[in-house]
Amino acid sequence: QALSGMMSITGEKGGQPLKHGIALADYFGGFNVFASVLTALHYQRRTGKGQYIDVSLLQGMIHLNSTIDRLNDGVLCKPNGNHHSGLCPFGCFNTDKGESVIICAPSAKAWEAVAKAMNRPDYLTDPEYNTIGARTKNMVKVIAEIEAWLSSFPSLKEACARMDECHMAYCLVNNDQQVVDDPQVKHMGYIVQAPTPDDIKQPTYQTRGCNAFFSDVPGEIHKAATLGQHNHEVLGGLGYSDEEIDQMMKEFKEEMKK
């Protein structure tokens, strides 16, 4: 994240560089390897040629860092907090009660919904608000006014009801437990109970499900093998005898005790 420039554009406006909350490079690197292997297999089936695949974590993070393209315009992007640097309103808005909500209004129609919800018809004619460019230029003011409006409700629940009524584009900022409890997440099977390996007493554990679904072959989280469970199948396929495999396993266990 640091070498790719990602941290230099993440964080509060005017603040210090900030890393993402998860190991983003590791996860994205895994997806890149997966996609590369499938692509190479497809190529091999068409041409009969195999090839060496080179995937790095840094390469993946640079690919994700779209702000590098802004250098073509002479712009060196910097952190802009929880708001889009070129669209407004488009970001995370906070209330004085410690609640947060994402609000996005990049189009004229979406902005009309904001104006209706806030009872501010002047937003549609005032030159400081009536275009996306004007709102971006006056971002600090727009953010402050929307947050003041949100804070005028007893809670975010009532504010969301008003936004629903006016068809505003928004979403809540969930914590992990709220994600797991979300009815749509449950319905879609995004969180599953997966089987544990045979050497673990607990039969299942809660985890993330497959990241895509297929009509003919739905994905499934399978039980992981215990350490060394398939040694005979794998090493035997490489030409090792059962005696040789048993000896290697014995030596490994002795080494692990040290």
Side-chain angles (χ1 to χ4, degrees):
Q1 293 185 44
L3 289 174
S4 67
M6 292 285 279
M7 285 180 60
S8 74
I9 58 169
T10 306
E12 291 300 323
K13 190 171 184 177
Q16 299 300 315
L18 190 68
K19 77 174 187 68
H20 197 281
I22 64 169
L24 191 60
D26 295 331
Y27 283 117
F28 190 59
F31 283 121
N32 283 339
V33 170
F34 172 70
S36 299
V37 168
L38 289 183
T39 302
L41 282 173
H42 180 66
Y43 179 82
Q44 190 274 337
R45 288 174 179 175
R46 291 181 60 187
T47 67
K49 296 180 180 179
Q51 55 188 311
Y52 177 80
I53 298 172
D54 186 356
V55 177
S56 78
L57 301 187
L58 176 59
Q59 180 183 15
M61 294 301 289
I62 290 175
H63 181 77
L64 284 178
N65 187 4
S66 61
T67 60
I68 288 176
D69 295 345
R70 297 294 304 278
L71 294 174
N72 290 291
D73 302 322
V75 177
L76 181 62
C77 292
K78 297 179 180 180
N80 201 53
N82 280 320
H83 294 273
H84 197 290
S85 60
L87 299 171
C88 183
F90 203 103
C92 184
F93 294 82
N94 306 307
T95 73
D96 59 359
K97 303 169 188 67
E99 298 174 301
S100 301
V101 62
I102 302 296
I103 294 176
C104 301
S107 67
K109 184 176 181 179
W111 181 241
E112 288 174 7
V114 174
K116 179 180 179 181
M118 295 179 66
N119 294 314
R120 291 292 302 270
D122 57 297
Y123 277 168
L124 305 180
T125 56
D126 190 323
E128 288 191 339
Y129 302 95
N130 63 357
T131 67
I132 189 71
R135 293 193 296 276
T136 302
K137 183 178 180 181
N138 296 289
M139 184 180 296
V140 174
K141 186 176 181 180
V142 173
I143 292 172
E145 292 186 8
I146 292 177
E147 291 189 334
W149 173 71
L150 291 170
S151 298
S152 70
F153 291 89
S155 73
L156 189 58
K157 182 178 180 180
E158 288 80 8
C160 289
R162 175 60 178 170
M163 289 190 282
D164 282 332
E165 180 184 343
C166 298
H167 305 292
M168 274 182 60
Y170 78 93
C171 78
L172 299 176
V173 180
N174 288 336
N175 61 35
D176 288 348
Q177 189 62 55
Q178 289 168 328
V179 173
V180 170
D181 294 337
D182 186 281
Q184 181 69 6
V185 170
K186 289 183 176 180
H187 172 72
M188 294 301 296
Y190 296 154
I191 301 294
V192 299
Q193 289 292 329
T196 57
D198 292 336
D199 57 352
I200 295 180
K201 292 182 179 179
Q202 182 176 322
T204 65
Y205 71 104
Q206 179 176 271
T207 187
R208 295 151 292 160
C210 298
N211 66 329
F213 296 129
F214 298 84
S215 58
D216 289 343
V217 283
E220 180 182 351
I221 305 298
H222 295 274
K223 179 187 294 188
T226 58
L227 183 62
Q229 183 174 345
H230 299 129
N231 280 356
H232 280 275
E233 291 92 328
V234 175
L235 296 176
L238 296 175
Y240 291 95
S241 66
D242 287 342
E243 292 75 15
E244 290 174 318
I245 297 172
D246 289 338
Q247 181 61 33
M248 283 190 283
M249 292 174 65
K250 180 181 178 180
E251 292 175 358
F252 173 79
K253 290 177 180 179
E254 291 176 352
E255 189 66 28
M256 290 295 291
K257 292 178 181 180
K258 295 180 180 179

